[in-house]
Amino acid sequence: MTNEPLADVRDMYLAHVMFRREIGLAPALIRGVAEGDAERAAVVADHVRLVDTVLHHHHEAEDEHLWHRLLERAGADAEPVVRLMEEQHGAIDKLLGEVRAELTSWRETADPVRGAALAETLTLLHERLVEHLAVEEEQALPLIGKHITAAEWGQMIAASAADVAPEQMPLIFGLMTYEGDPGTVRDVVASMPPEVSSVIGDLAAQAFAAHAERVHGTATPERFGAAR
C-alpha cells in the first residue's frame, strides 16, 4: 500500500450534505400531506424511500470495505472510532427499518396520525444521523485519508451504488451535488469516463430540478449544508 495513492475523501461530503438536507426536510414534507391525499403521499414516500435506500447502501459499503482495513492498519488509533461507527450504523439502521414500515402503511392512506408518527421517527433519524456524520467527518475520515487506498475507496463507492438503477444515477448525483463544493464536484466528474463526464453535469442538474419541483414544490429547496 505504501506506493499507492490514498483515498480522496472529499466526495464523502457530497453524500453527507445530501443526507442532512433531504432527511432534515422529510418530516415537514410528511406533515404537509393532506389527509387522504394518497397520490401526494406516494410522491413523498417514494422520495424518502430513495434517500433511505442510498443511505442504507452507503453504510453497508463502509462496513464492508473500510472498518476492517482501518483496524488492521491503524490499530489502537482506529479501534474506538470503528466501534463507534459500527454502533451508530446499527442504531441508524434500526431507525431506517422503522421508517420503511411506517412509510408503507402511511403512503396508502395518507392518514395524519400515521403521518405524525412517521414524521417523529424521521426527526429522530435526522438527529442521530447528524450526530453520526459529524463524528465520522471529525474522526473517521482523517484516518481513512491516511490508511485507505484510492482503489479501495473506489471499491467502496462502487459498492454503495451497486443496486442503483442506471436511470436513477443522474438524479442521485444531482441530489449530492446540489449543495456540493464546486471543486469537489469538478474533480469527481473529471474522474468519470469521458462519455459520462461530458453529460452528467447537465443531466444531474435537470433530474434534480424536476425531482425537487415535484417533491419540494421548488427546484431550489432549502439548503442545509455542513452548517446544520
Side-chain angles (χ1 to χ4, degrees):
M1 190 184 95
T2 307
N3 297 322
E4 295 185 52
L6 293 170
D8 180 352
V9 300
R10 291 177 301 156
D11 51 359
M12 184 71 83
Y13 291 92
L14 301 180
H16 285 190
V17 171
M18 184 267 281
F19 293 139
R20 287 183 175 102
R21 180 186 68 251
E22 297 301 340
I23 295 177
L25 294 175
L29 288 175
I30 301 293
R31 295 189 180 101
V33 175
E35 181 175 0
D37 189 350
E39 183 176 353
R40 173 60 182 166
V43 170
V44 174
D46 286 346
H47 169 70
V48 173
R49 191 70 176 92
L50 173 64
V51 177
D52 148 29
T53 299
V54 175
L55 176 58
H56 175 70
H57 289 304
H58 177 79
H59 280 176
E60 271 194 336
E62 290 178 337
D63 292 341
E64 180 180 354
H65 291 276
L66 299 182
W67 308 142
H68 69 95
R69 290 183 169 124
L70 284 185
L71 289 174
E72 291 169 0
R73 297 167 189 174
D77 289 340
E79 186 169 352
V81 179
V82 168
R83 298 305 172 220
L84 181 56
M85 292 296 97
E86 291 175 334
E87 289 172 7
Q88 290 180 336
H89 279 193
I92 289 169
D93 197 52
K94 181 176 182 296
L95 284 169
L96 286 174
E98 294 175 15
V99 166
R100 290 180 204 118
E102 292 172 6
L103 267 178
T104 298
S105 60
W106 172 76
R107 69 171 291 155
E108 296 175 355
T109 62
D111 176 74
V113 174
R114 292 178 178 177
L118 173 59
E120 287 299 316
T121 305
L122 282 163
T123 297
L124 181 58
L125 172 63
H126 185 247
E127 291 171 356
R128 296 288 182 272
L129 185 63
V130 167
E131 177 186 8
H132 165 66
L133 297 179
V135 175
E136 184 172 289
E137 291 167 0
E138 292 166 5
Q139 299 182 31
L141 289 187
L143 286 171
I144 290 168
K146 293 178 181 178
H147 299 284
I148 300 298
T149 69
E152 291 164 346
W153 184 254
Q155 291 170 0
M156 187 275 295
I157 297 294
S160 68
D163 290 335
V164 175
E167 60 270 21
Q168 286 189 311
M169 291 305 298
L171 172 57
I172 292 173
F173 195 62
L175 283 162
M176 292 195 293
T177 56
Y178 173 60
E179 297 180 71
D181 170 69
T184 301
V185 174
R186 182 184 62 247
D187 291 346
V188 170
V189 171
S191 70
M192 297 176 178
E195 65 273 16
V196 177
S197 64
S198 62
V199 298
I200 190 63
D202 289 342
L203 289 177
Q206 293 165 9
F208 175 77
H211 181 81
E213 189 73 51
R214 185 167 60 255
V215 172
H216 297 291
T218 173
T220 56
E222 180 184 355
R223 297 171 184 263
F224 272 43
R228 294 297 186 92

